[in-house]
Amino acid sequence: MQYREDRYGNKLSVLGFGCMRFTKKGNSIDIDKAEGEIMEAYHSGVNYYDTAYVYSGSEAAIGEIFERNQIRDKINIATKLPQYLISSRSALDRYFSEELKRLRTDRVDYYLMHHMTDIAQWERLKNLGIEEWIAEKKKSGQIRCIGFSYHGNTDNFLKILNDYDWDFCQIQYNYLDEVTQAGVAGLKAAAAKGIPVVIMEPLRGGKLVNMLPDGAKEAMKNSGRGWSYADWGLRWLYNQKEVTVVLSGMNSLDMVAENCRIADEAETGAFTPEDFATLEVVKQKIQEREKVGCTGCRYCMPCPRNVDIPGIFRCYNTMYTESKSQGRFQFAQTVGLTKEPAFATQCIQCGKCEQHCPQNIPIRQKLKEADRELRPLPYKIGINLVRKYMFRKTRKQA
Ligand code: SF4
Ligand code: SF4
């Protein structure tokens, strides 16, 4: 494992464990499986573990795993304040205490304001006294480093970055998002101020591995590098000295092994002009085929009309990255036949979802396009018939 330094010279593994996507067993996290993956990463040198208040069951799961294996003092915990839920100064203490309890610890090493998109959110927190609160927590040792995770545009990123003496920040960044969100401009601005940058969505929620079009795969294979698709995404990040930690949501031992191998091997400045040219072809092939740049983060949910926004976009993209029939089949299974209808046509145009979308997707317009393609008339009739049948059956069973 290679290490880069935080603002105070502490060594952080270049690979961080993203704890948002643990495998579920029923409704809860499969703790034994998660423990196997976390401990494998730990033994390979990973010392940075990222979770959040709103990642269902995650804080409690890693708290239990670290305690059970007695490694709390050997690793760094990063977790996040759900700033969008905070409406009073007392709420700051309430959420933070709950997080410490879930994590079975007396301190958080890296604490972030979660999902900032606009300077107005930071102004609101300041009005609630967050600066004094942070100072108290740092003085008492309950928070070591303070930062923010970010999904808005570059302008607002720079405003937030420059408005406070942050210890670190976290941005969505990958070879498809070089100029969206904080982007390379934000990355460089933070680094210029000596602020370490943690990277999230390095593989766009797995898309840069699982949903690559054939032309993109061919370009990588023909490069002669012999790298996996994950290699390309992660090495592009490690190539940049401004990147401190790259988070990866690992939920299999194979994934842990591959990510650790790449983190061992990858070097800063190792990309050649040919490597950059390969990725240009890859980007072009991906963008040619995707219909909506949705990462499946679900920040737009819940929709007041129960429209399954990420589900619809995933199927819409599948129509173009795999096949039309596969996209429609998945749509029927995952959106069309749920007990509570979740169709795009239920949208009342309230616009709430668009305020929360880190990708700035014109959701209402894209939903209309997606619905037209996913449910042409014969499919609509077919899905409605099956739904009627299923409901009748359900009533009888009840
Ligand atoms: S605009 Fe439509 S899809 Fe978005 S939250 Fe409102 S009802 Fe739901
Ligand atoms: S539409 Fe936007 S907010 Fe919703 S899941 Fe997709 S990327 Fe996330």
Side-chain angles (χ1 to χ4, degrees):
M1 181 59 56
Q2 300 184 61
Y3 296 85
R4 295 184 185 178
E5 289 187 353
D6 76 359
R7 205 179 174 197
Y8 304 104
N10 301 303
K11 290 196 182 317
L12 299 179
S13 53
V14 292
L15 173 64
F17 204 120
C19 300
M20 186 172 85
R21 295 190 172 107
F22 287 129
T23 308
K24 295 269 172 138
K25 201 179 190 178
N27 284 332
S28 37
I29 289 170
D30 183 340
I31 190 101
D32 294 333
K33 184 170 178 293
E35 182 174 21
E37 290 149 5
I38 282 188
M39 291 312 293
E40 183 64 25
Y42 169 74
H43 290 302
S44 300
V46 173
N47 71 2
Y48 191 94
Y49 296 81
D50 173 85
T51 182
Y53 181 85
V54 294
Y55 299 169
S56 176
S58 171
E59 288 182 322
I62 66 170
E64 185 178 336
I65 292 167
F66 295 150
E67 186 182 74
R68 221 193 257 177
N69 292 276
Q70 300 186 346
I71 59 169
R72 170 65 188 100
D73 292 337
K74 296 171 185 148
I75 51 92
N76 297 289
I77 294 177
T79 194
K80 310 183 187 83
L81 176 79
Q83 52 83 14
Y84 32 80
L85 300 179
I86 302 294
S87 53
S88 67
R89 159 96 193 215
S90 62
L92 294 169
D93 282 318
R94 206 167 57 244
Y95 281 104
F96 186 70
S97 301
E98 193 182 340
E99 292 188 285
L100 289 182
K101 203 168 155 201
R102 288 175 176 181
L103 289 160
R104 304 186 189 195
T105 187
D106 57 359
R107 68 190 185 284
V108 172
D109 304 294
Y110 296 86
Y111 198 54
L112 303 97
M113 308 292 116
H114 193 192
H115 200 267
M116 303 282 272
T117 55
D118 195 291
I119 184 73
Q121 295 160 320
W122 176 236
E123 297 290 356
R124 189 177 56 81
L125 291 170
K126 284 202 296 185
N127 288 337
L128 292 174
I130 191 127
E131 290 167 297
E132 296 79 21
W133 184 83
I134 292 169
E136 279 168 24
K137 293 291 169 202
K138 285 183 89 168
K139 196 170 170 207
S140 70
Q142 285 184 299
I143 292 176
R144 275 184 45 219
C145 294
I146 194 81
F148 64 101
S149 70
Y150 187 76
H151 282 291
N153 61 28
T154 312
D155 281 354
N156 269 299
F157 175 80
L158 296 175
K159 283 181 193 161
I160 297 171
L161 182 76
N162 292 324
D163 195 74
Y164 186 74
D165 188 21
W166 302 103
D167 293 317
F168 71 112
C169 62
Q170 184 168 311
I171 61 172
Q172 172 172 323
Y173 190 57
N174 54 63
Y175 63 71
L176 267 192
D177 286 315
E178 191 172 1
V179 292
T180 59
Q181 300 205 15
V184 65
L187 173 75
K188 286 188 185 292
K193 287 171 75 91
I195 296 176
V197 183
V198 176
I199 304 299
M200 57 185 154
E201 302 279 6
L203 300 173
R204 269 264 190 128
K207 259 195 191 116
L208 303 185
V209 172
N210 300 322
M211 286 181 69
L212 289 170
D214 289 343
K217 291 178 183 169
E218 266 165 43
M220 289 174 173
K221 277 186 191 133
N222 294 341
S223 71
R225 277 295 207 175
W227 290 342
S228 68
Y229 307 136
D231 270 88
W232 280 97
L234 299 175
R235 284 174 190 265
W236 180 82
L237 290 163
Y238 292 135
N239 187 60
Q240 301 170 62
K241 65 178 186 320
E242 296 87 355
V243 166
T244 309
V245 173
V246 176
L247 297 176
S248 179
M250 298 174 272
N251 55 16
S252 75
L253 288 175
D254 284 349
M255 224 184 265
V256 174
E258 182 177 37
N259 279 264
C260 288
R261 172 187 60 76
I262 299 166
D264 278 344
E265 294 173 3
E267 284 169 24
T268 306
F271 254 50
T272 62
E274 291 75 25
D275 294 331
F276 286 115
T278 299
L279 279 190
E280 279 311 309
V281 178
V282 170
K283 282 194 263 185
Q284 191 192 327
K285 296 292 176 194
I286 294 171
Q287 283 154 355
E288 272 170 17
R289 295 186 59 186
E290 257 195 11
K291 284 293 186 179
V292 191
C294 172
T295 63
C297 69
R298 303 187 69 81
Y299 285 129
C300 53
M301 299 293 281
C303 156
R305 298 296 303 227
N306 199 43
V307 177
D308 182 355
I309 303 165
I312 291 167
F313 287 158
R314 189 185 63 245
C315 300
Y316 188 30
N317 280 336
T318 301
M319 288 180 73
Y320 289 86
T321 52
E322 295 180 39
S323 67
K324 292 203 170 184
S325 58
Q326 184 60 20
R328 286 176 182 149
F329 175 67
Q330 285 184 14
F331 175 80
Q333 279 191 319
T334 59
V335 181
L337 301 180
T338 52
K339 199 169 177 187
E340 295 300 322
F343 298 114
T345 41
Q346 291 160 215
C347 172
I348 49 165
Q349 306 290 317
C350 70
K352 234 181 93 185
C353 51
E354 291 178 15
Q355 290 166 16
H356 298 287
C357 178
Q359 311 303 330
N360 297 318
I361 294 168
I363 293 175
R364 289 171 285 186
Q365 178 203 323
K366 288 288 174 191
L367 280 175
K368 281 184 192 160
E369 288 174 27
D371 193 66
R372 268 199 301 275
E373 296 210 37
L374 284 163
R375 287 200 305 162
L377 193 58
Y379 278 75
K380 206 178 264 184
I381 294 169
I383 288 171
N384 285 347
L385 285 174
V386 178
R387 287 185 62 82
K388 271 186 191 161
Y389 171 75
M390 284 176 72
F391 286 138
R392 189 172 60 236
K393 204 173 162 192
T394 303
R395 275 200 298 273
K396 268 185 198 164
Q397 280 170 348

